[in-house]
Amino acid sequence: MEVNVKNMIKQKETNRFFLRFTEKAAPVFFLLCAAISVLTTIGIILTLLVETTAFFSRVSFWEFISGTEWWPFGENPTYGVLPLIAGTMLITAIAMMVALPIGLASAIFLSEFASEQTRKIVKPVLEVLAGIPTIVYGFFALTFVTPVLNTFIQDLPVFNALSPGIVVGVMVIPMVASLSEDALRSVPNSMREAALAMGSTRLEVAMKVVLPAALSGIIASFVLGISRAIGETMIVAVAAGSTPKLTWDVTESIQTMTGYIVQVSLGDASYGSTAYYSIYAVGMTLFIFTFMMNILSQYISRRFKEDY
Amino acid sequence: MNTAAERKHTFFANTVADEQEYVSKTIYNVDHFNLWYGDDQALYDVTLAIPENQVTAIIGPSGCGKSTFIKSLNRMVELVPSVKMNGSISYAGQDIFSSGYKVEQLRTDVGMVFQNPNPFPKSIYENVAYGPKIHGIRKKKVLDEIVEKSLKGAALWDEVKDRLQENASGLSGGQQQRLCIARCLAIEPDVILMDEPTSALDPIATAKVEELVQSLKKDYSIVIVTHNMQQAARISDKTAFFLNGEVVEFEHTDKLFSNPEDRRTEDYITGRFG
Amino acid sequence: MNLVDKQTVQSSMTKRLVKNRLANSLFFLAAAFGIVVLAILLYRIYSEGMGYLDWNFLTSFASRFPEEAGIKAAIVGSLWLMAVTAPVSLLLGVGTAIYLEEYAKENKVTRFIRMNISNLAGVPSVVFGLLGLTVFVRLMEMGRSIMAGGLTMSLLILPIIVVSSQEAIRAIPKEQYEASFAMGATRWQTVLRVVLPAAIPGILTGGILALSRAIGETAPLLMIGALSFIAYLPENVWSGFTVLPIQIFNWTGRPQEEFHLVASSGIIVLLIVLLLMNSIAVLIRNKFSK
Ligand SMILES: Nc1ncnc2c1ncn2[C@@H]1O[C@H](COP(=O)(O)OP(=O)(O)OP(=O)(O)O)[C@@H](O)[C@H]1O
Ligand SMILES: [Mg+2]
């Protein structure tokens, strides 16, 4: 007998509760999934706010933001966050001196000079570099970069700002390079061709035509790189030491905000103590810093978006 | 001409109606239908009745709204978020835009073949079985039968019967298009909408699809958009000429091509513009 | 009369070309810097770590003596962590991507969710650690368990999975949707039978890359309180645990030189795991992209 599909479909249609149920339930389920990411943000903010409030019931807000000494474990603990901020800034500054020029130059090379074959080698290497766990970089800073620096700088202590700063920079290079390259490559070829056709060299095209056109994207990538360096944890936890200090001397041992949080969570403070709550106050400060950087980067790339 | 309201249509009754009777039946009744994409109006006051078990051709210059019109018939046009419409389209006597009308039901009864072949990246078998499966048919034996019947119906069976499990992307363009027709036949629709089904095909594949359309006509009502006026003349019973979103003329194909009433139709079919 | 003096153009031309050459080499050096650093790093770790890397190392627990120290608990712990993180993060991430690409209307809520995800991607991992410590370990009383660590990691890599899944879904041609809807398929049927099968290679590739990020993360798990010295294997998701990077961190922090060599061995193991995961991702990508 011939199958009558039409009748079968009609029959099935009447008792397909399951389909009708899933059809209704699916969007609700997926919305719930999407809501988790919002809940995560809310969770982060609430966590930081509640515990920071607890911290500020013990330590004055003014002392926290203006104090120049961070010494939570002694007889008379002091909680002035400026040394931690200074340590973070110092690491970030060193890192950016490495990452921004090298990252941007790599991007220009990849986008404007490199042949297809060279790109095929360099890009994956940068990807590998980006995929190396930060603890490995930390180990590298402590056991290789610091000893190497020691041969140039007399009496460089084992823990110092310079070595982890440089290595954080290396870690950030792939990110700056790939985001900047995206910005450069989105400049349409017609603009390059116009300049090349007038006899410009590739360098002139890169510096006078492409770079200015892609500037906002490049700056956005720089800002993201800074944000990444501020939040970097393991490299500084391993190689920068744990002596919070208001200093610009790169050869000294310092401590960053992230480094402090790790130090405390390694067991230096018991639950409920002021030192315990202090990691949330420091975490909040860190969160605000990186959040502002991320917003700034988004703002730059949106506000100054080139319309080619 | 009969309108849908006049006739007593038993919706799920046998598709192959009495041979003598079908000529007068109307399957689609489009009444003062307007459509906008955002603020741009694409269809103006379209009014026409599409006959059952005949081939209706839609012709007209590029951008005149042919695709928009045919996609309105199965409400696929609603996939564009900015679309706004008024007027009515009734299918088998029911307003397809009325609230409570199930769009999935409409699209089960009305199949569509697209300009570019769009098989799923699945096996030939799975492509044809897709429709029956989503409508709840799971028995392997039944599916096998449906697949064979549909592929035969689309004149593709002999070419693919030995490689049903191969990926459909390995077929030629013409074969892919016939596969899409088979996929559409698998759920036994009453109407098949075709939007320039041969424009991406070479002449030989085109001839095959045209032949197929002719043979399908006894079981299905077919609406076909085409750029090719010879094609419209060859395969259709009635032809609608669209221009700038309006129906200029809707007539029996012989009449429209031999003796058009409107100057603009004449200009178009004699190649003076378009 | 000539406004442009051919002579000056000619002489400045040579200068410009030299500059171009110089810049080319300079930019090349910058790009090569990464390669050189990578080479040194890998060489150092290889030459230091191979000494301790043997079967014993893989099958022993941590020890106070470098020559007896092993990485068994860390390997098993990392696997356990993945067993929690992989399903949770994939389910949530793919679900979010499907919501955003298939169901969400273009409105304020949707824009907020999108913005929220891109901001979440920029939150430092220690902050996720603080979240996990407060919410999972303390509030939900999961303790310092695999579950708490796995959930924290899931949230950390969620944005990466969402974005890569969105890209995989967006790459599906519009025609596939049209074909499905024109057959009378519902949105959900289309998602299940057309969208997911076509997007799965992309989703898996992105997912594996995100998981390899999770396997190398240290800081959030330190905050959760993963232990660095355990001499037992976890029994279930409520057990305490350690993972590869934490074990490496612990060895790195020891003053004895020998432990640095042990740390190198641990790093080799970690890098091999990452290499394996990335190879699988690349294999999947190549197999399905024609
Ligand atoms: N998704 C859309 N959004 C906005 N406007 C559209 C959209 N699709 C079509 N239009 C506009 O509607 C009008 C009719 O388009 P339609 O695709 O129906 O023409 P057509 O007759 O099928 O042309 P062709 O023969 O080139 O396929 C055109 O002006 C077109 O620009
Ligand atoms: Mg069209």
Side-chain angles (χ1 to χ4, degrees):
Chain A
M1 202 198 83
E2 279 274 284
V3 285
N4 188 335
V5 178
K6 199 171 248 329
N7 278 343
M8 292 175 65
I9 292 177
K10 193 166 155 40
Q11 268 169 21
K12 299 270 177 191
E13 216 62 52
T14 50
N15 53 16
R16 301 196 69 193
F17 299 114
F18 185 66
L19 176 67
R20 256 172 273 155
F21 170 74
T22 46
E23 186 61 37
K24 288 258 157 46
V28 179
F29 171 76
F30 293 133
L31 178 61
L32 284 180
C33 289
I36 297 281
S37 70
V38 178
L39 277 183
T40 305
T41 307
I42 296 176
I44 288 175
I45 294 174
L46 272 187
T47 299
L48 294 177
L49 269 182
V50 169
E51 307 289 48
T52 305
T53 313
F55 175 75
F56 284 129
S57 69
R58 299 161 184 227
V59 176
S60 89
F61 179 68
W62 183 247
E63 182 196 334
F64 180 73
I65 58 160
S66 68
T68 54
E69 230 168 275
W70 185 268
W71 198 245
F73 303 115
E75 285 275 292
N76 297 312
T78 51
Y79 293 95
V81 78
L82 288 180
L84 291 183
I85 293 181
T88 302
M89 298 283 210
L90 189 57
I91 294 284
T92 307
I94 301 168
M96 289 307 111
M97 278 191 261
V98 174
L100 301 189
I102 295 182
L104 179 58
S106 308
I108 295 176
F109 177 73
L110 286 172
S111 145
E112 307 300 315
F113 288 90
S115 66
E116 203 44 48
Q117 290 105 298
T118 322
R119 267 178 62 82
K120 274 205 185 115
I121 300 169
V122 178
K123 288 276 294 184
V125 171
L126 287 180
E127 268 170 44
V128 171
L129 218 47
I132 289 193
T134 54
I135 178 66
V136 179
Y137 279 116
F139 177 82
F140 186 63
L142 182 71
T143 64
F144 178 72
V145 178
T146 302
V148 167
L149 290 174
N150 206 0
T151 61
F152 298 105
I153 304 168
Q154 299 282 296
D155 305 323
L156 185 72
V158 177
F159 298 118
N160 60 76
L162 187 57
S163 164
I166 292 172
V167 175
V168 170
V170 170
M171 185 205 75
V172 177
I173 288 174
M175 179 177 161
V176 172
S178 104
L179 291 177
S180 294
E181 195 209 344
D182 288 347
L184 292 170
R185 281 171 85 82
S186 70
V187 175
N189 254 329
S190 56
M191 284 172 75
R192 291 187 184 83
E193 280 157 11
L196 282 173
M198 291 191 306
S200 309
T201 62
R202 287 206 163 265
L203 175 66
E204 288 158 351
V205 173
M207 302 314 262
K208 294 187 183 145
V209 179
V210 182
L211 208 60
L215 199 60
S216 66
I218 290 170
I219 292 180
S221 85
F222 285 5
V223 177
L224 273 187
I226 294 174
S227 162
R228 191 60 190 281
I230 293 176
E232 173 42 40
T233 309
M234 291 322 289
I235 302 176
V236 290
V238 167
S242 47
T243 31
K245 220 177 282 173
L246 252 182
T247 176
W248 291 112
D249 183 353
V250 296
T251 62
E252 283 187 53
S253 164
I254 50 115
Q255 188 165 45
T256 64
M257 295 189 269
T258 52
Y260 174 72
I261 296 176
V262 165
Q263 184 199 352
V264 171
S265 64
L266 281 177
D268 281 6
S270 54
Y271 176 56
S273 65
T274 309
Y276 172 82
Y277 286 117
S278 71
I279 59 176
Y280 291 91
V282 175
M284 182 67 138
T285 316
L286 176 68
F287 179 75
I288 291 172
F289 268 81
T290 52
F291 182 74
M292 286 192 324
M293 286 294 169
N294 294 339
I295 294 287
L296 180 65
S297 147
Q298 282 169 24
Y299 173 79
I300 292 171
S301 56
R302 202 174 321 140
R303 173 72 176 72
F304 301 101
K305 191 146 201 84
E306 327 293 333
D307 291 316
Y308 303 116
Chain B
M1 199 172 300
N2 283 351
T3 64
E6 282 171 70
R7 76 210 160 93
K8 292 192 183 67
H9 187 87
T10 44
F11 192 179
F12 289 107
N14 204 345
T15 35
V16 191
D18 268 346
E19 293 267 318
Q20 298 89 342
E21 208 189 352
Y22 74 76
V23 180
S24 57
K25 276 190 178 172
T26 299
I27 186 79
Y28 263 114
N29 207 21
V30 183
D31 198 20
H32 299 290
F33 184 70
N34 293 287
L35 185 143
W36 293 260
Y37 288 111
D39 293 331
D40 302 326
Q41 187 158 6
L43 293 177
Y44 293 86
D45 209 33
V46 174
T47 300
L48 46 81
I50 294 170
E52 191 171 15
N53 287 10
Q54 294 194 8
V55 178
T56 304
I58 314 275
I59 61 169
S62 188
C64 68
K66 306 182 295 293
S67 296
T68 304
F69 174 69
I70 199 169
K71 281 197 218 154
S72 303
L73 295 179
N74 63 350
R75 290 178 56 179
M76 286 293 282
V77 77
E78 289 171 13
L79 292 187
V80 180
S82 67
V83 157
K84 288 191 289 283
M85 301 167 276
N86 68 28
S88 84
I89 297 179
S90 61
Y91 168 71
Q94 279 180 298
D95 185 353
I96 62 171
F97 295 112
S98 64
S99 63
Y101 192 91
K102 287 232 291 285
V103 67
E104 285 84 16
Q105 183 63 57
L106 174 69
R107 291 174 188 162
T108 310
D109 297 333
V110 179
M112 184 161 205
V113 177
F114 296 83
Q115 176 163 5
N116 291 305
N118 56 354
F120 298 119
K122 302 169 186 275
S123 70
I124 295 172
Y125 183 96
E126 283 301 324
N127 262 283
V128 183
Y130 182 82
K133 276 189 173 172
I134 60 168
H135 289 104
I137 298 172
R138 298 237 166 67
K139 285 209 194 73
K140 178 89 172 71
K141 266 192 70 182
V142 180
L143 285 174
D144 286 349
E145 208 171 321
I146 295 175
V147 169
E148 178 170 348
K149 189 170 140 200
S150 312
L151 284 169
K152 278 180 175 156
L156 191 60
W157 175 251
D158 292 329
E159 290 158 67
V160 301
K161 64 170 181 279
D162 300 322
R163 44 175 177 144
L164 291 177
Q165 297 310 328
E166 279 173 35
N167 199 301
S169 58
L171 298 174
S172 74
Q175 288 173 325
Q176 286 188 7
Q177 193 61 304
R178 276 179 287 146
L179 177 64
C180 292
I181 295 176
R183 184 174 63 188
C184 171
L185 297 182
I187 50 171
E188 297 185 355
D190 297 318
V191 181
I192 302 176
L193 308 175
M194 299 180 156
D195 190 353
E196 302 188 37
T198 61
S199 68
L201 306 183
D202 66 45
I204 294 175
T206 300
K208 280 211 163 136
V209 171
E210 282 187 15
E211 210 175 290
L212 181 58
V213 170
Q214 285 292 349
S215 74
L216 291 174
K217 158 175 137 179
K218 78 176 166 32
D219 296 320
Y220 304 90
S221 315
I222 294 172
V223 182
I224 182 168
V225 170
T226 175
H227 254 131
N228 180 332
M229 275 174 285
Q230 281 83 27
Q231 185 173 63
R234 272 196 303 269
I235 63 176
S236 71
D237 302 300
K238 292 190 80 173
T239 299
F241 172 55
F242 274 63
L243 187 62
N244 299 332
E246 279 180 84
V247 186
V248 173
E249 199 163 345
F250 182 45
E251 261 305 340
H252 287 284
T253 302
D254 306 339
K255 166 130 194 324
L256 188 124
F257 280 100
S258 59
N259 189 14
E261 251 158 42
D262 199 294
R263 264 300 298 274
R264 292 170 293 176
T265 316
E266 192 176 342
D267 287 349
Y268 183 68
I269 62 180
T270 53
R272 244 168 283 178
F273 78 92
Chain C
M1 199 188 76
N2 262 338
L3 285 177
V4 183
D5 181 5
K6 285 258 153 73
Q7 202 80 50
T8 26
V9 170
Q10 207 58 58
S11 73
S12 79
M13 179 68 86
T14 350
K15 228 193 286 169
R16 286 167 57 210
L17 286 177
V18 169
K19 254 197 208 160
N20 188 44
R21 271 278 173 73
L22 266 174
N24 191 348
S25 341
L26 219 61
F27 291 141
F28 171 74
L29 282 181
F33 179 77
I35 303 183
V36 173
V37 172
L38 185 66
I40 295 176
L41 188 149
L42 291 180
Y43 174 73
R44 286 271 309 177
I45 285 166
Y46 174 83
S47 59
E48 288 192 342
M50 279 320 268
Y52 280 99
L53 189 63
D54 54 19
W55 187 245
N56 234 2
F57 180 71
L58 296 177
T59 54
S60 310
F61 288 110
S63 164
R64 272 181 297 127
F65 308 105
E67 54 282 358
E68 285 171 20
I71 204 163
K72 180 174 173 183
I75 293 178
V76 176
S78 279
L79 288 177
W80 271 97
L81 190 77
M82 284 302 108
V84 173
T85 303
V88 173
S89 62
L90 278 174
L91 185 74
L92 291 180
V94 176
T96 306
I98 291 178
Y99 177 76
L100 289 174
E101 294 304 310
E102 301 293 333
Y103 290 98
K105 303 214 171 52
E106 195 52 52
N107 57 23
K108 277 207 181 109
V109 178
T110 307
R111 273 196 295 277
F112 176 73
I113 294 178
R114 283 215 187 91
M115 198 190 73
N116 174 61
I117 287 168
S118 69
N119 279 325
L120 216 48
V123 173
S125 58
V126 269
V127 175
F128 278 94
L130 288 172
L131 173 74
L133 177 64
T134 317
V135 174
F136 296 131
V137 176
R138 299 218 188 282
L139 211 60
M140 297 188 176
E141 299 183 343
M142 294 179 185
R144 302 167 178 274
S145 64
I146 294 171
M147 186 53 106
L151 292 180
T152 307
M153 280 302 177
S154 303
L155 297 183
L156 177 73
I157 61 173
L158 187 59
I160 313 177
I161 296 192
V162 172
V163 170
S164 65
S165 304
Q166 275 182 296
E167 275 165 16
I169 292 174
R170 254 184 247 143
I172 299 170
K174 189 171 108 275
E175 286 77 18
Q176 303 279 316
Y177 287 87
E178 287 183 339
S180 178
F181 287 130
M183 308 280 302
T186 60
R187 175 68 68 172
W188 167 235
Q189 286 176 318
T190 307
V191 166
L192 199 64
R193 290 164 184 271
V194 177
V195 176
L196 278 180
I200 261 184
I203 290 175
L204 281 183
T205 308
I208 293 174
L209 293 180
L211 288 175
S212 68
R213 160 99 193 271
I215 256 194
E217 265 302 338
T218 322
L221 294 178
L222 277 180
M223 320 226 37
I224 295 291
L227 311 158
S228 48
F229 197 94
I230 60 173
Y232 58 88
L233 294 182
E235 280 170 7
N236 53 41
V237 292
W238 307 110
S239 305
F241 68 110
T242 187
V243 291
L244 290 169
I246 287 189
Q247 192 65 68
I248 295 166
F249 172 67
N250 179 267
W251 285 327
T252 306
R254 305 266 178 114
Q256 304 99 310
E257 271 297 315
E258 289 87 350
F259 270 113
H260 288 178
L261 303 183
V262 179
S264 291
S265 310
I267 290 176
I268 293 179
V269 173
L270 177 61
L271 291 182
I272 287 176
V273 170
L274 290 177
L275 187 70
L276 280 179
M277 291 176 78
N278 280 271
S279 316
I280 295 173
V282 170
L283 273 183
I284 294 176
R285 183 159 60 192
N286 291 347
K287 178 138 198 290
F288 287 92
S289 72
K290 278 165 218 155

